[in-house]
Amino acid sequence: AAATFSQVALAPCSFSGCHLQEVVYKLNALLVCCCFVFCRRPPKLRQISWLLFVFFSSDIEISRAQSPKAVDVLAKEIGLLTDEIEIYGQTKAKVRLSLLERLKDQPDGKYVLVAGITPTPLGEGKSTVTIGLVQALTAHLKINSFACLRQPSQGPTFGVKGGAAGGGYAQVIPMEEFNLHLTGDIHAITAANNLLAAAIDARILHENTQSDKALYNRLVPVVKGVRGFSSIQLARLRRLGINKTDPETLTEEEISRFVRLDIDPSTITWQRVVDTNDRFLRKITIGQANTEKGFVRQAQFDIAVASEIMAILALTTSLEDMKERLGKIVVANDKKGEPVTAEDLGVTGALAVLMKDAIKPTLMQTLEGTPVFVHAGPFANIAHGNSSILADKIALKLVGEKGFVVTEAGFGADIGMEKFFNIKCRASGLVPSVVVLVATVRALKMHGGGPSVSAGAPLKKEYTEENLQLVADGCCNLQKQIQITQLFGVPVVVALNVFKTDSPAEVDLVCKIAKQSGAFDAVPCNHWSDGGRGAVKLAQAVEKAANQKSSFKYLYSLETIAQKVYGAEDIELSPAAQSQIDRYTRQGFGKLPICMAKTHLSLSHQPEKKGVPTGFILPISDVRASIGAGFIYPLVGTMSTMPGLPTRPCFYDIDLDPVTEEVKGLF
């Protein structure tokens, strides 16, 4: 520790133009170093020094102050065999799915979900709670535990949110690797998604410009004097009811049916994606080059993690299952109104090849050396917002019957938790033991009518001084989220993420109201400043709640979600949405689960409506189908699937030191 602090304290620092935080941080580090050197650290001095270090250190500085154990050592500690990991550098590794077969007879551990109240710009800290909880369980209570987290999208990382590795002394390390490319899963999804998009437009072009015979000769060419169907072409022939394997025996009518997908361009629902917040790609025109022969149409880009391929990655249970799901992706309808799939386009195998490594969860660690799986993506407002079933299943086997797997759902319980229960648990067959519902005093004050908050502006006194009335009024949102959890029959523990501006009376009031509202327990948490030690009481409450009787059940129908979860009086379907519902019902997709695309900033469709809005009609503007993922995807109001950059994005603060190659300003 002394060596680490001395390196920081004695590093060159130009005081001209340098931040006060940097000066104080270095002076404090020098103070700590001197205390170690003289072997005398009075308790008061130790406390002051520690508080200064915590307060003036950024998350990335805290992350770098801890040297992570080598990932092969971590893998051995948690029971992985050498041939079950694929190492990426020193601190992360892919875990092979063969592990599930080896541990198939091992009992599962307890399954814990971390959700939250309706988010505010003030932040609630779900990821921090998730990390603090597993650090408390494993590093302090000696109970096997695993955190399963979503991989951050680079859109928010460079946009408005910043990183998502937790914070303070409850985070995943190395945090810059966690927040950036990691092991390339999102890049693989982007490549696969855009290959499918390119295949759609290319097929339309070629069908529009070639005869049946020319198409057939190119689709089934003579190679070294032999002409044969590929396996995916034979599968298409079988779906068409053509039971032939010799290309020379097809009739003209059969050739026409085989080569013509007859895609109706106006029905294409498959969009290109990029992992950057780029609002100018929300509506584009493609095909303007002369080589595309006048085939021009309007299209759009979505954020990469909103791709159905990301949803498939999160919900798949095996490589075989993923390949089957990829083939079922519906990209458009033909001119007769029948669905056209990735399998029809002949691209399923190629998609699976691009995704063959992405299907393996990535192993990392917390600041206190406990294991973490990072797999699948974020955005519970425009996707289902949960990490992967495969990561959870592997972790549940590794922790053993008495262990805990803690996973996190995106945004508020009304969105991420609802989708976790109704979509993810339905696909996995896993039953949750406990929900940890995260809240903060200052977020509750905003729900109670506190003033609006602007990024970078100082907080107003309502958020920094005691105000019991605002807290009490804002607890309506916490009470509503507890009620939503109870609809599913799962015990809920409220984790109150404590900030230095919270008064003891405010903290006590929130915990009292939470318990009166049906929470099994409500616990103040200090993991940001104290690491796992600050979440020990939360861990103990979760352990007790996990032993309670659970009566888990699914909720369903579009109206049920709108009325019982959001509190709407009714729904209103636009003509376009009603037309899509009728089409999907006719095509046999009418009984699939629902994945609502809705703002995360309110229980309603209006972001400015805080607390618990009532008396509103929920407008459904459009409905899409993610058939490979296995759900229908209604868009509520003006919800966009491509976020935009703010006036001052996070990338203003992000830089690279060309000498040390250290990333600066990430979070």
Side-chain angles (χ1 to χ4, degrees):
T4 300
F5 280 121
S6 65
Q7 288 173 8
V8 174
L10 302 177
C13 176
S14 169
F15 283 81
S16 61
C18 102
H19 293 295
L20 176 63
Q21 175 175 322
E22 182 183 2
V23 176
V24 176
Y25 177 64
K26 291 180 180 297
L27 289 174
N28 184 53
L30 186 59
L31 170 66
V32 176
C33 180
C34 292
C35 290
F36 272 109
V37 170
F38 288 104
C39 300
R40 290 174 185 240
R41 296 191 71 202
K44 200 50 103 174
L45 181 60
R46 181 177 70 244
Q47 291 170 12
I48 294 170
S49 176
W50 181 249
L51 285 171
L52 283 169
F53 179 71
V54 171
F55 184 76
F56 285 105
S57 298
S58 69
D59 289 341
I60 198 165
E61 288 167 331
I62 293 171
S63 172
R64 287 177 182 154
Q66 172 67 291
S67 297
K69 67 184 82 173
V71 71
D72 57 333
V73 173
L74 175 65
K76 187 176 181 181
E77 287 177 354
I78 62 176
L80 295 173
L81 303 180
T82 304
D83 63 355
E84 289 173 339
I85 61 170
E86 297 170 3
I87 294 176
Y88 283 64
Q90 296 296 313
T91 57
K92 53 191 183 293
K94 285 286 192 183
V95 175
R96 293 176 180 161
L97 306 187
S98 57
L99 177 65
L100 281 171
E101 178 61 26
R102 178 170 70 85
L103 298 180
K104 64 182 179 182
D105 297 324
Q106 169 96 320
D108 286 350
K110 303 285 188 181
Y111 199 28
V112 180
L113 175 70
V114 176
I117 62 171
T118 302
T120 69
L122 294 165
E124 288 62 59
K126 289 196 311 297
S127 298
T128 313
V129 168
T130 301
I131 300 303
L133 175 55
V134 294
Q135 288 181 166
L137 284 165
T138 299
H140 296 269
L141 298 181
K142 310 305 177 187
I143 299 170
N144 285 346
S145 74
F146 234 106
C148 290
L149 299 177
R150 299 160 294 155
Q151 180 182 347
S153 164
Q154 290 178 38
T157 298
F158 290 102
V160 68
K161 181 181 179 182
Y169 286 86
Q171 59 174 302
V172 180
I173 58 172
M175 68 96 78
E176 58 263 60
E177 293 185 25
F178 176 88
N179 281 309
L180 296 175
H181 304 284
L182 200 62
T183 48
D185 293 356
I186 293 179
H187 302 318
I189 288 161
T190 302
N193 184 102
N194 292 344
L195 175 63
L196 181 51
I200 297 165
D201 290 314
R203 185 60 176 259
I204 294 172
L205 171 71
H206 294 313
E207 287 190 26
N208 284 345
T209 56
Q210 296 180 51
S211 66
D212 289 352
K213 182 178 180 181
L215 275 170
Y216 192 60
N217 287 338
R218 287 178 172 87
L219 286 170
V220 194
V222 176
V223 179
K224 295 181 180 179
V226 179
R227 193 179 204 185
F229 294 116
S230 68
S231 58
I232 202 165
Q233 289 176 327
L234 288 170
R236 172 163 169 74
L237 287 169
R238 289 193 294 271
R239 288 196 303 278
L240 293 171
I242 302 172
N243 297 311
K244 295 179 179 179
T245 57
D246 184 353
E248 304 298 339
T249 61
L250 267 64
T251 65
E252 289 186 3
E253 186 270 339
E254 290 171 337
I255 287 174
S256 181
R257 288 171 57 206
F258 173 72
V259 300
R260 298 281 170 191
L261 296 182
D262 277 332
I263 295 171
D264 180 351
S266 69
T267 66
I268 295 172
T269 54
W270 193 259
Q271 310 297 348
R272 289 163 173 83
V273 299
V274 63
D275 197 29
T276 301
N277 289 357
D278 192 344
R279 66 177 69 246
F280 285 90
L281 294 178
R282 289 172 177 169
K283 189 69 70 177
I284 60 173
T285 302
I286 63 171
Q288 295 193 58
N290 292 334
T291 51
E292 310 326 312
K293 305 185 181 186
F295 174 55
V296 177
R297 70 178 180 91
Q298 279 201 332
Q300 69 183 59
F301 271 76
D302 293 338
I303 191 78
V305 291
S307 170
E308 184 180 345
I309 296 179
M310 175 63 88
I312 287 172
L313 176 67
L315 295 172
T316 194
T317 54
S318 67
L319 194 54
E320 182 180 2
D321 176 64
M322 182 179 73
K323 188 175 177 182
E324 183 179 338
R325 287 173 178 269
L326 291 170
K328 288 180 179 178
I329 292 172
V330 173
V331 299
N333 295 322
D334 65 19
K335 290 172 183 175
K336 295 178 181 177
E338 296 303 314
V340 178
T341 66
E343 187 80 1
D344 292 324
L345 285 159
V347 74
T348 307
L351 300 181
V353 167
L354 287 171
M355 294 293 294
K356 71 179 180 65
D357 292 319
I359 196 174
K360 304 164 189 170
T362 299
L363 176 65
M364 294 187 76
Q365 63 193 279
T366 70
L367 201 68
E368 296 184 30
T370 62
V372 176
F373 273 145
V374 187
H375 206 209
F379 282 132
N381 53 353
I382 57 176
H384 78 76
N386 285 275
S387 62
S388 76
I389 287 172
L390 281 169
D392 291 357
K393 284 193 167 186
I394 293 172
L396 285 164
K397 294 297 183 186
L398 287 169
V399 297
E401 191 171 8
K402 295 182 179 180
F404 286 81
V405 170
V406 183
T407 189
E408 176 192 350
F411 298 126
D414 57 301
I415 299 183
M417 184 195 73
E418 180 269 312
K419 293 175 181 179
F420 173 85
F421 288 149
N422 282 327
I423 297 175
K424 183 176 176 180
C425 289
R426 193 185 297 267
S428 68
L430 298 173
V431 177
S433 307
V434 187
V435 168
V436 175
L437 192 62
V438 181
T440 64
V441 166
R442 58 189 196 175
L444 291 170
K445 286 180 176 180
M446 179 169 279
H447 284 296
S452 60
V453 175
S454 300
L459 289 178
K460 295 181 179 177
K461 65 176 184 177
E462 286 86 351
Y463 299 111
T464 58
E465 298 176 6
E466 181 175 284
N467 191 321
L468 295 176
Q469 188 60 54
L470 267 185
V471 174
D473 292 344
C475 278
C476 62
N477 189 271
L478 174 61
Q479 291 171 304
K480 174 64 175 175
Q481 303 288 14
I482 292 171
Q483 291 167 11
I484 293 170
T485 309
Q486 291 173 326
L487 289 173
F488 294 93
V490 182
V492 58
V493 173
V494 172
L496 186 63
N497 198 2
V498 176
F499 287 73
K500 66 182 188 318
T501 54
D502 301 344
S503 75
E506 289 173 330
V507 170
D508 290 344
L509 178 60
V510 174
C511 292
K512 178 183 176 182
I513 291 174
K515 292 175 187 176
Q516 290 174 345
S517 303
F520 175 82
D521 204 348
V523 185
C525 303
N526 296 286
H527 45 274
W528 185 87
S529 58
D530 293 341
R533 182 177 57 183
V536 166
K537 289 184 179 178
L538 174 63
Q540 291 168 335
V542 167
E543 188 179 13
K544 289 178 184 176
N547 292 322
Q548 299 297 301
K549 185 178 179 181
S550 174
S551 53
F552 175 64
K553 61 191 174 200
Y554 303 115
L555 278 182
Y556 246 73
S557 92
L558 182 55
E559 289 81 1
T560 302
I561 295 172
Q563 294 173 345
K564 290 194 175 182
V565 177
Y566 305 152
E569 281 191 0
D570 204 351
I571 63 169
E572 181 180 74
L573 294 170
S574 72
Q578 185 62 64
S579 174
Q580 288 288 62
I581 288 174
D582 294 343
R583 175 178 290 163
Y584 294 141
T585 301
R586 180 173 52 79
Q587 292 174 345
F589 306 138
K591 295 189 181 297
L592 290 175
I594 304 294
C595 181
M596 301 283 272
K598 183 186 81 70
T599 179
H600 56 290
L601 297 173
S602 174
L603 285 161
S604 75
H605 59 288
Q606 298 170 294
E608 69 277 6
K609 301 284 188 184
K610 304 301 179 186
V612 182
T614 56
F616 61 93
I617 304 296
L618 196 74
I620 309 298
S621 58
D622 196 6
V623 178
R624 301 175 186 173
S626 293
I627 304 305
F631 53 71
I632 298 295
Y633 179 17
L635 274 69
V636 178
T638 57
M639 189 68 208
S640 172
T641 51
M642 169 57 82
L645 288 173
T647 305
R648 191 189 188 284
C650 292
F651 62 63
Y652 274 82
D653 302 310
I654 297 173
D655 200 1
L656 181 71
D657 187 318
V659 177
T660 64
E661 296 187 13
E662 284 191 343
V663 177
K664 297 179 178 181
L666 187 59
F667 202 61

